Amino acid sequence: MKIGLDIMGGDYAPKATVLGAIEAYKQLKEDQKLVLIGDRTLIDPILKDNNFNPDLFQIIHTTEVIGMGEHPTKAIVQKPNSSISLGFTLLKDGEIDSFASAGNTGAMLVGAMFSVKTVPGVIRPAIASIVPKAKGGCGILLDVGANADCKPDTLLQFGILGSIYAEHIYNIANAKVGLMNIGEEEEKGNLLTQASYTLMKETELINFIGNIEGRDLFNDKADVIVCDGFTGNVVLKLAESFYVLTLKKGMKDEFFDRFNYEQYGGSPILGVNAPVIIGHGISSPEAIKNMALLSRDMIETKIIDKFKIAFN
């Protein structure tokens, strides 16, 4: 197993990414190797400062970096030797089994679509995120930013992708799928949610429990919450603010502590032909470590094969 990690991506790279890789190494088995993609002249001194043997990693040297503010499509094409572009080349060629980066989100999406492409039958891939539940455990929210505008059949597919991910990564069998809406009644919502409700109700591919409202996000009503990427991103950013607010207010609460993005590492792009994970731009070493471990879990469970079977 080879886990690809972009060392140059993120606001605190390369130090945070290298330190995160060191921590991830401690939890990996001997046959699970981290492949660091980035500028070796920057990586080696950090490893030396931490008394870590560089031979324990495979390091792919590159000197270009796609900045956070660069245009994703142009950057991928114009910077083929960047850490993100090179990572996707390695992923496409089978040199690594997964690829994760806390860098430019758009470039990660474009790179995944251009290189490994979508699973046959999947209309649009979705970015999934974790939602802590008040009584423990977690739920899956998708899409949280890949698709601002969606069609009903796309939302149905998000429900399928989320259900498979919940089962094989978080051991949630027969996940309850809810459609985010402004009311529980079937006729509520806009044209998108009304049409999506009909499609989701009629299929046997998911365990659809109907509409849910924003207040149901953190209870046990649904395990997988489906929405368009515009709505999902607003919800995600609001949820992330809870943890920051508790810190500022000097509050210590186990539930709100679970809103800390570091625990989950990153958000997978579900529906592409390889495990691809996007990390938070402000990723700390702890977040990078957990992003690498999530990559490992996605490889071990062969979740991409599960997606392919579902959409065959």
Side-chain angles (χ1 to χ4, degrees):
M1 178 190 298
K2 291 192 174 184
I3 301 167
L5 181 62
D6 172 18
I7 291 302
M8 311 308 293
D11 295 346
Y12 305 118
K15 186 173 182 179
T17 44
V18 173
L19 294 179
I22 291 172
E23 292 305 308
Y25 170 83
K26 297 173 183 178
Q27 296 190 32
L28 295 174
K29 297 176 182 177
E30 191 174 337
D31 62 344
Q32 298 170 340
K33 196 170 187 70
L34 275 168
V35 180
L36 311 189
I37 305 160
D39 190 336
R40 180 145 203 165
T41 64
L42 300 176
I43 296 170
D44 282 344
I46 301 171
L47 294 176
K48 184 178 180 180
D49 289 345
N50 287 272
N51 298 312
F52 192 87
N53 181 1
D55 293 337
L56 296 175
F57 293 137
Q58 180 181 346
I59 301 175
I60 306 295
H61 178 66
T62 182
T63 55
E64 289 186 306
V65 180
I66 295 178
M68 291 295 199
E70 291 192 61
H71 188 281
T73 306
K74 289 181 181 179
I76 286 287
V77 174
Q78 294 172 358
K79 292 185 173 180
N81 195 43
S82 65
S83 51
I84 288 180
S85 297
L86 191 54
F88 278 116
T89 298
L90 295 169
L91 188 63
K92 179 183 178 181
D93 294 343
E95 296 297 320
I96 54 178
D97 300 304
S98 66
F99 182 51
S101 172
N104 187 305
T105 298
M108 288 295 288
L109 276 167
V110 171
M113 296 286 283
F114 280 4
S115 61
V116 294
K117 304 186 178 353
T118 56
V119 169
V122 172
I123 302 166
R124 294 284 298 175
I127 301 176
S129 186
I130 296 301
V131 177
K133 295 296 186 176
K135 294 183 179 179
C138 65
I140 312 297
L141 175 68
L142 73 169
D143 178 33
V144 296
N147 309 277
D149 297 299
C150 293
K151 294 182 178 179
D153 50 355
T154 311
L155 291 190
L156 169 60
Q157 289 197 348
F158 292 171
I160 298 170
L161 291 168
S163 296
I164 295 170
Y165 184 71
E167 178 181 356
H168 295 285
I169 301 299
Y170 293 100
N171 300 312
I172 305 173
N174 196 31
K176 297 173 289 185
V177 179
L179 178 64
M180 181 61 74
N181 209 332
I182 58 172
E184 295 182 354
E185 298 83 2
E186 181 174 349
E187 64 275 6
K188 285 289 183 73
N190 55 20
L191 293 176
L192 172 62
T193 53
Q194 289 174 9
S196 299
Y197 188 105
T198 301
L199 282 181
M200 297 172 89
K201 181 180 70 172
E202 292 176 350
T203 186
E204 295 182 356
L205 296 173
I206 57 175
N207 177 20
F208 183 55
I209 54 93
N211 290 325
I212 68 163
E213 298 178 89
R215 62 187 175 189
D216 297 315
L217 198 62
F218 309 116
N219 63 31
D220 293 328
K221 188 168 184 179
D223 301 306
V224 175
I225 301 99
V226 173
C227 57
D228 62 82
F230 183 94
T231 303
N233 193 266
V234 171
V235 170
L236 174 63
K237 297 295 173 58
L238 175 63
E240 286 181 344
S241 73
F242 294 163
Y243 175 68
V244 177
L245 286 171
T246 58
L247 292 181
K248 288 182 177 179
K249 294 290 185 180
M251 298 167 55
K252 184 67 178 176
D253 183 271
E254 185 275 334
F255 173 63
F256 287 112
D257 284 348
R258 289 193 283 125
F259 282 83
N260 183 358
Y261 75 95
E262 292 181 332
Q263 294 187 28
Y264 311 108
S267 300
I269 304 177
L270 303 184
V272 294
N273 281 303
V276 176
I277 299 174
I278 301 172
H280 207 296
I282 59 171
S283 286
S284 64
E286 177 72 10
I288 297 297
K289 177 198 77 174
N290 286 324
M291 186 164 63
L293 297 179
L294 176 57
S295 300
R296 173 202 62 190
D297 294 344
M298 291 183 71
I299 298 168
E300 279 190 328
T301 58
K302 296 183 173 18
I303 196 166
I304 305 303
D305 292 339
K306 310 292 193 304
F307 292 146
K308 289 178 180 179
I309 291 170
F311 288 92
N312 185 9

